[in-house]
Amino acid sequence: MVLLVRAAGMLPVLLLLCLGFHFLSDGRFFSGQNLGIVLQQAAVNTVLAAGMTFVILTGGIDLSVGSILAASAMAGLAISTIPDLAAFWLLVSVLTGLGFGVINGALIALLRLPPFIVTLGSLTAVRGFARLLGTDTTIFNPSIPYAFIGNGSLTLIPGVVSIPWLSVIALLVILVSWLVLRRTVLGVHIYAVGGNESAARLAGIKVWAVLIFVYGVSGLLAGLGGAMQAARLYAANGLQLGQSYELDAITAVILGGTSFVGGIGSIWGTLVGALIIAVLSNGLILIGVSDIWQYVIKGLVIIGAVALDRYRLQGSART
Amino acid sequence: MVTPHAAGQPVLELKGIGKEFGAIRALHGVDLCIFPGEVVGLMGDNGAGKSTLVKIIAGNFPPSHGEIRFDGQAVHFARPIDARAVGIEVVYQDLALADNLTAAANVFLGRELKRKFGPLAFLDHKAMAARALELFGELRSETRPHDLVKQMSGGQRQAVAIARTRLSNAKLVMMDEPTAAISVRQVEQVLGLIHRLKEQGVAVMLISHRMPDVFAVCDRVVVMRRGEKRADKEIGDTSPEEVTSLITGAKEAA
């Protein structure tokens, strides 16, 4: 119940932003086409932020998701150009992400290294791998299988309502994450590790397994994000793809009311946070704000929104 | 008062327990029996060997010498889980609760109830809340299963920690300074909780520095000094003054 209130905490901000942009843009915001664009733009970040939510709930951080996304997209595209294996590219992308995530998790859980340091290292190292996979060039594949997930839409009511596949995937990721976090034993254990690690250990929870799981999920979803990007662009570049995506993902999680110290937060909040970021980007372009001012305004809105949230919840939760 | 000794077999029996850490002798020749439904106070100054003894019983490390018998069987604990498996629970001073979770989630942490949906198992929140409410009822605590532990008083937190031990049907509960950091009114509540455990036939070992609490709730007091047991007396046969002098060493043994 408390989590629901927290998740709802940022919902009014999201709605206000939408309404504000709608009036400032002379009614162009709430059009079917524009909402489709917003949903599509939010999709990849939502998927990354869902993984980041698992990690931050344990009190950790994953700075490497942007690099893992790039490496996974590169691996997938490389496979998609081999005729016999092309159909497996999606799987390869996702598993590449999972692999890097599990390595992060193992270093953090088994060697007891700080998450910030480990993922800062893999931010750089995995970026190198991403470039290596394409021998530092852009890989193109105009006939990549399953391209529809990047550009197609799922038609709900023919000619009236359709949702981009990217958004469908993002929503499914959110739903499954919710199910895992709120309805399974593993979910409670993730919250317990974030709330009081020694209590979790005393209760017989295998803390190392929980940590490997959350970093594995973060990697896996970064891999899925990479596949989504590859299918959308028919191409990937190891150097440029996914640069600073980790920051947008972390921003979405924090905007969603998840505590940086772990143990408190919800996946619905993260969804709202990711939507706020997408609405801001979209709305500022719609009303013709210059690129430079977009940065300034986005930054200030993020700080303001979180400050508002803290003020409202004063005393009940601290980061 | 019924003397629990009449109940027959001790739940825990220690014979000649000793422990060395390198050249340091932390415990020497400790014999101790605890009977079902008995509350034993374990007292002693810092470094007297109380926590070493508790950790041996809880399975944190094995004794260098001696034998532990539980329910009449010789037992060897390699890990705390082994001790928990036979029915020994420790309620730690810092309580080892996850503040961000509900009372029910804490009671069931690591032992969650599940419902199967085909190959998937989901948490049975309803059943856990109901059982937690039942346990709090038995302890006559007004703790609500859905409340977050973060919002609770010290006494309620103790109730949650003790409910955890009831869930596993522990036969011996060791409590480490349960009344150290809480208000006077809540001390009453906690002593009440110890009485509930006693009523249900659970043996309780109370490690405490607070003389009034020990004399209020314990049947027997054991005093440790310099790694040895210096006294083991029925509460009616001793006095706070005598126990104090045993703790400080003004009186060698009794």
Side-chain angles (χ1 to χ4, degrees), chain A:
Chain A
M1 191 57 210
V2 173
L3 289 166
L4 201 74
V5 172
R6 277 193 75 87
M10 281 295 163
L11 201 55
V13 173
L14 176 64
L15 295 177
L16 276 177
L17 280 174
C18 291
L19 285 174
F21 283 130
H22 189 66
F23 288 116
L24 288 172
S25 65
D26 302 319
R28 280 178 292 152
F29 184 84
F30 282 116
S31 68
Q33 194 197 2
N34 190 55
L35 287 179
I37 291 171
V38 172
L39 284 180
Q40 198 168 28
Q41 281 175 342
V44 171
N45 188 34
T46 303
V47 170
L48 292 184
M52 191 69 74
T53 306
F54 280 82
V55 171
I56 293 182
L57 278 175
T58 64
I61 188 92
D62 189 349
L63 299 174
S64 64
V65 291
S67 298
I68 292 180
L69 177 141
S72 306
M74 292 301 281
L77 271 162
I79 292 293
S80 77
T81 56
I82 304 169
D84 291 340
L85 299 175
F88 294 106
W89 79 268
L90 243 174
L91 191 67
V92 169
S93 266
V94 173
L95 290 182
T96 304
L98 175 65
F100 283 122
V102 168
I103 293 171
N104 276 340
L107 289 171
I108 290 160
L110 304 180
L111 297 185
R112 296 175 177 275
L113 299 173
F116 191 93
I117 308 293
V118 169
T119 59
L120 186 63
S122 46
L123 164 82
T124 311
V126 177
R127 176 63 61 187
F129 272 116
R131 294 175 65 177
L132 210 62
L133 282 167
T135 56
D136 212 10
T137 58
T138 301
I139 305 182
F140 285 101
N141 185 357
S143 57
I144 190 167
Y146 316 118
F148 72 92
I149 66 164
N151 299 283
S153 288
L154 174 68
T155 307
L156 292 180
I157 306 169
V160 187
V161 183
S162 64
I163 304 173
W165 273 107
L166 285 179
S167 311
V168 173
I169 294 171
L171 274 175
L172 284 177
V173 166
I174 292 288
L175 273 176
V176 172
S177 300
W178 172 78
L179 210 61
V180 171
L181 286 173
R182 306 304 297 178
R183 289 283 176 263
T184 68
V185 172
L186 191 58
V188 183
H189 290 183
I190 288 169
Y191 277 91
V193 168
N196 186 344
E197 196 178 314
S198 56
R201 199 166 276 129
L202 280 170
I205 293 171
K206 295 187 182 80
V207 174
W208 61 268
V210 171
L211 290 178
I212 291 179
F213 176 82
V214 297
Y215 288 94
V217 166
S218 183
L220 177 107
L221 291 179
L224 179 60
M228 290 159 78
Q229 288 279 35
R232 177 157 173 69
L233 304 170
Y234 301 97
N237 178 298
L239 181 57
Q240 289 158 359
L241 190 67
Q243 282 283 6
S244 78
Y245 277 21
E246 60 280 352
L247 298 182
D248 275 347
I250 294 168
T251 307
V253 176
I254 299 303
L255 273 178
T258 295
S259 160
F260 236 162
V261 294
I264 296 166
S266 79
I267 197 75
W268 300 110
T270 297
L271 175 63
V272 172
L275 287 174
I276 287 177
I277 295 171
V279 166
L280 263 183
S281 304
N282 176 272
L284 289 173
I285 293 169
L286 271 188
I287 62 175
V289 173
S290 84
D291 182 47
I292 302 165
W293 279 100
Q294 283 182 33
Y295 274 91
V296 176
I297 293 171
K298 268 196 231 174
L300 292 179
V301 167
I302 288 162
I303 295 173
V306 174
L308 196 75
D309 196 36
R310 283 297 120 76
Y311 180 72
R312 204 170 51 79
L313 293 164
Q314 223 166 35
S316 68
R318 264 178 287 160
T319 308

Side-chain angles (χ1 to χ4, degrees), chain B residues 90-135:
Chain B
V90 187
V91 176
Y92 290 92
Q93 188 171 12
D94 50 15
L95 292 177
L97 300 177
D99 271 8
N100 57 326
L101 299 180
T102 62
N106 267 288
V107 169
F108 283 90
L109 195 60
R111 293 180 282 228
E112 291 83 0
L113 301 180
K114 285 163 276 188
R115 263 192 311 179
K116 294 262 182 198
F117 289 93
L120 302 170
F122 292 114
L123 291 170
D124 195 343
H125 286 297
K126 214 182 252 175
M128 287 193 282
R131 181 81 183 101
L133 188 65
E134 225 174 86
L135 289 170

Side-chain angles (χ1 to χ4, degrees), chain B residues 18-226:
Chain B
K19 179 73 187 174
E20 282 111 39
F21 295 103
I24 298 161
R25 196 167 78 177
L27 279 182
H28 178 70
V30 176
D31 297 323
L32 181 64
C33 284
I34 301 180
F35 294 84
E38 189 183 30
V39 183
V40 175
L42 183 63
M43 303 198 76
D45 212 342
N46 294 337
K50 290 179 310 210
S51 31
T52 309
L53 187 63
V54 168
K55 281 179 177 162
I56 287 173
I57 300 170
N60 292 63
F61 41 68
S64 311
H65 314 281
E67 190 189 26
I68 306 173
R69 298 179 78 83
F70 196 81
D71 265 348
Q73 305 283 320
V75 287
H76 301 276
F77 305 138
R79 289 166 306 159
I81 293 174
D82 302 340
R84 213 175 295 159
V86 302
I88 299 175
E89 291 273 345
V90 187
V91 176
Y92 290 92
Q93 188 171 12
D94 50 15
L95 292 177
L97 300 177
D99 271 8
N100 57 326
L101 299 180
T102 62
N106 267 288
V107 169
F108 283 90
L109 195 60
R111 293 180 282 228
E112 291 83 0
L113 301 180
K114 285 163 276 188
R115 263 192 311 179
K116 294 262 182 198
F117 289 93
L120 302 170
F122 292 114
L123 291 170
D124 195 343
H125 286 297
K126 214 182 252 175
M128 287 193 282
R131 181 81 183 101
L133 188 65
E134 225 174 86
L135 289 170
F136 294 141
E138 278 174 29
L139 295 169
R140 277 173 240 161
S141 165
E142 282 165 12
T143 310
R144 288 177 302 228
H146 291 293
D147 282 0
L148 291 180
V149 168
K150 169 161 58 191
Q151 300 156 342
M152 292 181 178
S153 68
Q156 283 182 316
R157 285 159 171 268
Q158 287 286 348
V160 174
I162 291 169
R164 271 186 70 80
T165 72
R166 294 303 301 139
L167 183 66
S168 60
N169 274 318
K171 292 174 182 161
L172 171 65
V173 174
M174 295 190 286
M175 302 179 73
D176 185 9
E177 297 284 0
T179 52
I182 56 180
S183 70
V184 176
R185 202 169 66 83
Q186 287 170 15
V187 167
E188 288 298 315
Q189 282 180 21
V190 172
L191 297 183
L193 291 171
I194 295 173
H195 274 299
R196 301 295 107 69
L197 286 176
K198 181 181 161 66
E199 283 166 14
Q200 292 172 24
V202 178
V204 179
M205 190 148 136
L206 176 65
I207 300 105
S208 182
H209 273 100
R210 289 173 49 107
M211 201 68 72
D213 299 347
V214 169
F215 275 80
V217 79
C218 292
D219 302 310
R220 192 148 58 92
V221 59
V222 170
V223 180
M224 302 283 298
R225 182 169 155 75
R226 296 199 171 153

